[in-house]
CSV table of all heavy atoms in Angstrom, one decimal:
chain,number,residue,atom,x,y,z
K,53,LYS,N,188.6,143.9,115.5
K,53,LYS,CA,187.4,144.0,116.3
K,53,LYS,C,187.7,144.2,117.7
K,53,LYS,O,188.5,143.6,118.3
K,53,LYS,CB,186.6,142.7,116.1
K,53,LYS,CG,186.1,142.4,114.7
K,53,LYS,CD,185.3,141.2,114.5
K,53,LYS,CE,184.9,141.0,113.1
K,53,LYS,NZ,184.1,139.7,112.9
K,54,LEU,N,187.0,145.2,118.3
K,54,LEU,CA,187.3,145.6,119.7
K,54,LEU,C,185.9,145.6,120.5
K,54,LEU,O,184.9,146.1,120.0
K,54,LEU,CB,187.9,147.0,119.7
K,54,LEU,CG,189.1,147.3,118.9
K,54,LEU,CD1,189.4,148.8,118.9
K,54,LEU,CD2,190.3,146.5,119.4
K,55,SER,N,186.0,145.1,121.7
K,55,SER,CA,184.8,145.1,122.5
K,55,SER,C,185.2,144.9,124.0
K,55,SER,O,186.2,144.2,124.3
K,55,SER,CB,183.8,144.0,122.2
K,55,SER,OG,184.4,142.7,122.3
K,56,PRO,N,184.6,145.7,124.9
K,56,PRO,CA,184.9,145.5,126.3
K,56,PRO,C,184.7,144.1,126.8
K,56,PRO,O,183.7,143.5,126.5
K,56,PRO,CB,184.0,146.5,127.0
K,56,PRO,CG,183.6,147.5,125.9
K,56,PRO,CD,183.5,146.6,124.7
K,57,ILE,N,185.6,143.6,127.7
K,57,ILE,CA,185.5,142.3,128.2
K,57,ILE,C,184.3,142.2,129.2
K,57,ILE,O,184.1,143.0,130.1
K,57,ILE,CB,186.8,141.9,129.0
K,57,ILE,CG1,188.0,141.9,128.0
K,57,ILE,CG2,186.7,140.5,129.6
K,57,ILE,CD1,189.3,141.6,128.7
K,58,ASN,N,183.5,141.1,129.0
K,58,ASN,CA,182.4,140.8,129.9
K,58,ASN,C,181.4,142.0,130.1
K,58,ASN,O,180.8,142.1,131.1
K,58,ASN,CB,182.9,140.4,131.3
K,58,ASN,CG,183.7,139.2,131.3
K,58,ASN,OD1,183.5,138.3,130.5
K,58,ASN,ND2,184.7,139.1,132.2
K,59,ASP,N,181.2,142.7,129.0
K,59,ASP,CA,180.3,143.8,129.1
K,59,ASP,C,179.4,143.7,127.9
K,59,ASP,O,179.7,144.1,126.7
K,59,ASP,CB,181.0,145.2,129.1
K,59,ASP,CG,180.0,146.3,129.5
K,59,ASP,OD1,178.8,146.1,129.2
K,59,ASP,OD2,180.4,147.3,129.9
K,60,ARG,N,178.2,143.2,128.1
K,60,ARG,CA,177.3,142.9,127.0
K,60,ARG,C,176.4,144.1,126.6
K,60,ARG,O,175.7,144.1,125.6
K,60,ARG,CB,176.3,141.8,127.3
K,60,ARG,CG,177.0,140.4,127.6
K,60,ARG,CD,176.1,139.3,127.9
K,60,ARG,NE,176.7,138.1,128.2
K,60,ARG,CZ,176.1,137.0,128.5
K,60,ARG,NH1,174.8,136.9,128.6
K,60,ARG,NH2,176.8,135.9,128.7
K,61,ASP,N,176.6,145.2,127.3
K,61,ASP,CA,175.8,146.4,127.0
K,61,ASP,C,176.5,147.2,125.9
K,61,ASP,O,175.9,148.2,125.4
K,61,ASP,CB,175.7,147.3,128.3
K,61,ASP,CG,174.8,146.6,129.3
K,61,ASP,OD1,173.9,145.8,128.9
K,61,ASP,OD2,175.0,146.8,130.5
K,62,TYR,N,177.7,146.9,125.6
K,62,TYR,CA,178.4,147.7,124.5
K,62,TYR,C,178.5,146.9,123.2
K,62,TYR,O,178.7,145.7,123.3
K,62,TYR,CB,179.8,148.0,125.0
K,62,TYR,CG,179.9,149.1,126.0
K,62,TYR,CD1,179.8,148.7,127.4
K,62,TYR,CD2,180.0,150.4,125.7
K,62,TYR,CE1,179.8,149.7,128.4
K,62,TYR,CE2,180.0,151.4,126.7
K,62,TYR,CZ,180.0,151.0,128.0
K,62,TYR,OH,180.0,152.0,129.0
K,63,GLU,N,178.2,147.5,122.1
K,63,GLU,CA,178.3,146.9,120.8
K,63,GLU,C,179.8,146.7,120.5
K,63,GLU,O,180.7,147.5,120.9
K,63,GLU,CB,177.6,147.7,119.8
K,63,GLU,CG,176.1,147.7,119.9
K,63,GLU,CD,175.5,148.5,118.8
K,63,GLU,OE1,176.2,149.0,117.9
K,63,GLU,OE2,174.2,148.5,118.8
K,64,GLU,N,180.1,145.7,119.7
K,64,GLU,CA,181.4,145.5,119.2
K,64,GLU,C,181.8,146.6,118.3
K,64,GLU,O,181.0,147.0,117.4
K,64,GLU,CB,181.5,144.1,118.5
K,64,GLU,CG,182.8,143.7,118.0
K,64,GLU,CD,182.8,142.4,117.3
K,64,GLU,OE1,182.3,142.3,116.2
K,64,GLU,OE2,183.3,141.4,117.8
Side-chain angles (χ1 to χ4, degrees):
K53 296 180 179 181
L54 306 170
S55 60
I57 298 175
N58 297 327
D59 193 336
R60 298 182 180 179
D61 294 332
Y62 287 88
E63 292 184 357
E64 183 179 72

